[in-house]
Structure formats: structure tokens, C-alpha cells
Amino acid sequence: AGRGVAEPTARRVFEQVVAFSEFGFPKSHAAAFGLLAYQSDSREGLWGKAAAFALANEWDQAFPLYGKAVRLRTGVVSLRCDVARDLIRAGRLDEARMHLDEARLLEGENPPAEALRGWLALAAGQPKEALEHARQARTWGDWCDLAWIVEAHALKATGDAAGADQQFDVAVIAR
């Protein structure tokens, strides 16, 4: 009843606020949380969460989410490449190879997928095979930075340090 408002008006406003808080607020929050849960379980939402966990090296949380995203949408090459990249980073080479094989079935000439095959070969200690994959990836798409990087590392691993330096110069300085 302060601030110039009559007590009956103040009580009526207070009762309306209480009534809203008992009904409207929980209902609206439930709807909002339901929408967020639905959106975060979409393929894109799961993909993003998995990638964030992978960036933090939280492999045990990342790969189940990647798996769920792949099951929701199996035909996405870039998703397969992201999963393969993080599997390589985690040292899970056989699983990475499986995802790259799936990517090849979906799109035969994909430069990032081929460059990842090169990185996979490097991780498996096969620099000559890595070099072949990197060069093939550059044939399909010279814009693929990973192909340039893998090629330079493969050259260095085969003992061609000068070629690796030249490759780095072309990849970084000339482009």
C-alpha cells in the first residue's frame, strides 16, 4: 500500500504475480528447455557438442556423440571427416580408417578426406603412402591446406628435408 498504490490494488497485482509464477513461468521454462533439448539432439547439435569435447581431448564424451550424429545422418562426408580427424588425434587409427572408407563410398574425390588418409598413413608410420594420399588430395583440390601440411611432413619423414622446407614455403608463403 506504499508508493501511492491503494492496498486492494497492490494485493490484486501481488496475487496476479504469484498466480503467474505458479503457472506461466514453469510452463514457459519447460517449453524452452524442451526446445533446447530437441535442438541439441539434432545431428548438427550433436556434431557441435562432439567437436567441442574433442577439442578439449575429452574422447570418452566426444565419440559417443559423434556416433549418435552419424547414426542420425550417415551420408555426410564432412561429418565422417571430422570424426576421422579426431579419431586420428586420439590414436584410434582403425576406427578412423573405417570412417574414411565410408567417406570415400559417399564421395570418391574428396580432398579433405584424402588428406586425412595421408595423415592416417603418417600416424601409422607409412610416410610414402602418406605422400601419395597428400598428392592425390592436392590433385583433386589444391586449396586443401591439410594436403600441403601432410605432404611436407611425409617428405620430412622420408628424409627429404629440403623438399619439406620447399613444400612449406609454397604452402604458407606463396599462397
Side-chain angles (χ1 to χ4, degrees), residues 20-122:
F20 174 75
S21 70
E22 290 174 349
F23 176 77
F25 187 76
K27 297 274 188 198
S28 66
H29 269 63
F33 288 130
L35 177 63
L36 286 174
Y38 172 77
Q39 289 174 338
S40 65
D41 275 348
S42 69
R43 177 184 53 84
E44 292 81 6
L46 291 168
W47 188 351
K49 284 193 279 186
F53 280 125
L55 285 173
N57 293 332
E58 297 291 336
W59 309 118
D60 291 338
Q61 294 179 16
F63 293 124
L65 292 173
Y66 271 137
K68 192 172 179 183
V70 168
R71 284 190 299 278
L72 287 173
R73 183 79 185 266
T74 59
V76 180
V77 173
S78 55
L79 172 58
R80 294 274 183 190
C81 289
D82 280 356
V83 175
R85 180 199 61 230
D86 290 332
L87 286 165
I88 294 168
R89 289 180 52 225
R92 296 164 68 168
L93 305 184
D94 290 336
E95 292 173 74
R97 185 173 289 107
M98 179 200 69
H99 281 280
L100 291 172
D101 289 346
E102 293 282 336
R104 182 177 275 166
L105 289 174
L106 295 167
E107 185 179 331
E109 296 183 5
N110 184 287
E114 195 66 20
L116 282 166
R117 285 184 171 287
W119 185 12
L120 179 65
L122 273 176

